[in-house]
Amino acid sequence: MNQVTTKLFTWAKELQAISTSGRFYTKDRFDKERFDRLLEISAEMSATISDDDFETIKGLFTKETIYQTPKIDSRAIIFNEKDEVLLIEELDHRWAPPGGWCEHDLPPAQNTVKEAWEEAGLNVEVKRLVAVHDQRIHNEPYQFFSVQRFLFLCEVKSGSFQENIETLGSGWFSLDALPTLHSHKCSLEQLKMCLRAKYAEAWETEFD
């Protein structure tokens, strides 16, 4: 993404956040019309710099009906005794650590345990919070919504992969022989950081 596109993307995000908050709080029907148009403009801008069409983006934007806050994503980073990392194969055949959006009623650590069970069939115990990362800083490609990602080191207690509707399979991989990563969910650099955290006597959580 070049500098001009990044700037347009940033402006579109700001317009979307302003319009969504305005639509939620305003009591004036004329102001609501203005905020609706502002939302359309942000969707039009986004459609010109992305692979998605206007209607798809507008539909996504209108689902956001309250004040804009970052989305929370949590990931279970699991290494075995060989320092191989557990990855799950997603439906698009890219690979990532088990994880996903946090449920509204679950803290990030509990959400991580849930995701590891649902996607990898594993009962895990969270051992250490390695990092809280802003996706815009650490992951590609750039994503429209602001995402804060919690990376937890976890230990397998029991279980094995079970057929499910979210993932195609799972496997253990050396960090120097990884399959195609879903890089906007977890990067090689983040996995290397988590491996360092595994052996650190006193790890200080990395945060942005």
Side-chain angles (χ1 to χ4, degrees):
M1 185 178 291
N2 62 41
Q3 187 173 0
V4 173
T5 303
T6 300
K7 194 67 175 178
L8 287 172
F9 201 79
T10 301
W11 286 337
K13 286 182 62 177
E14 185 174 358
L15 287 174
Q16 190 267 345
I18 292 170
S19 59
T20 300
S21 299
R23 293 167 78 241
F24 180 74
Y25 286 113
T26 187
K27 305 300 181 184
D28 186 287
R29 64 186 180 89
F30 295 107
D31 280 343
K32 184 179 183 303
E33 290 180 358
R34 296 183 183 99
F35 286 123
D36 286 344
R37 177 56 188 145
L38 197 61
L39 188 70
E40 287 184 347
I41 291 172
S42 67
E44 289 168 0
M45 291 175 65
S46 299
T48 64
I49 56 177
S50 76
D51 296 329
D52 294 320
D53 59 73
F54 168 73
E55 292 300 331
T56 298
I57 294 174
K58 183 180 177 183
L60 179 64
F61 285 4
T62 54
K63 289 180 181 179
E64 300 292 317
T65 57
I66 60 174
Y67 186 81
Q68 292 294 282
T69 58
K71 294 183 179 295
I72 303 300
D73 176 271
S74 69
R75 296 283 150 181
I77 312 298
I78 307 165
F79 291 102
N80 62 16
E81 65 280 358
K82 299 178 182 179
D83 289 339
E84 297 170 325
V85 66
L86 179 92
L87 301 176
I88 50 93
E89 184 181 10
E90 301 193 326
L91 301 182
D92 62 1
H93 301 291
R94 289 185 289 180
W95 296 74
W101 300 130
C102 285
E103 300 289 344
H104 73 281
D105 58 349
L106 287 180
Q110 291 183 26
N111 192 79
T112 304
V113 172
K114 177 186 77 72
E115 292 287 340
W117 170 251
E118 292 178 349
E119 295 188 344
L122 299 177
N123 292 304
V124 303
E125 180 182 350
V126 172
K127 306 300 287 186
R128 172 174 283 175
L129 174 60
V130 178
V132 181
H133 278 170
D134 187 311
Q135 176 162 328
R136 294 168 299 177
I137 299 173
H138 297 277
N139 299 98
E140 293 288 344
Y142 204 83
Q143 185 160 311
F144 187 86
F145 293 105
S146 177
V147 177
Q148 304 301 314
R149 176 160 293 116
F150 287 68
L151 300 175
F152 290 100
L153 271 182
C154 297
E155 181 180 295
V156 176
K157 310 306 289 186
S158 63
S160 60
F161 182 82
Q162 304 295 322
E163 184 177 346
N164 63 85
I165 62 173
E166 296 186 62
T167 59
L168 300 174
S170 69
W172 296 94
F173 299 93
S174 168
L175 294 190
D176 58 7
L178 294 174
T180 302
L181 281 179
H182 212 152
S183 59
H184 83 270
K185 297 183 178 181
C186 192
S187 69
L188 174 59
E189 289 72 23
Q190 287 170 317
L191 293 177
K192 288 179 177 179
M193 175 191 62
C194 290
L195 184 57
R196 293 195 300 271
K198 174 184 175 182
Y199 289 103
E201 291 186 8
W203 179 263
E204 292 189 14
T205 300
E206 184 176 297
F207 56 87
D208 297 318

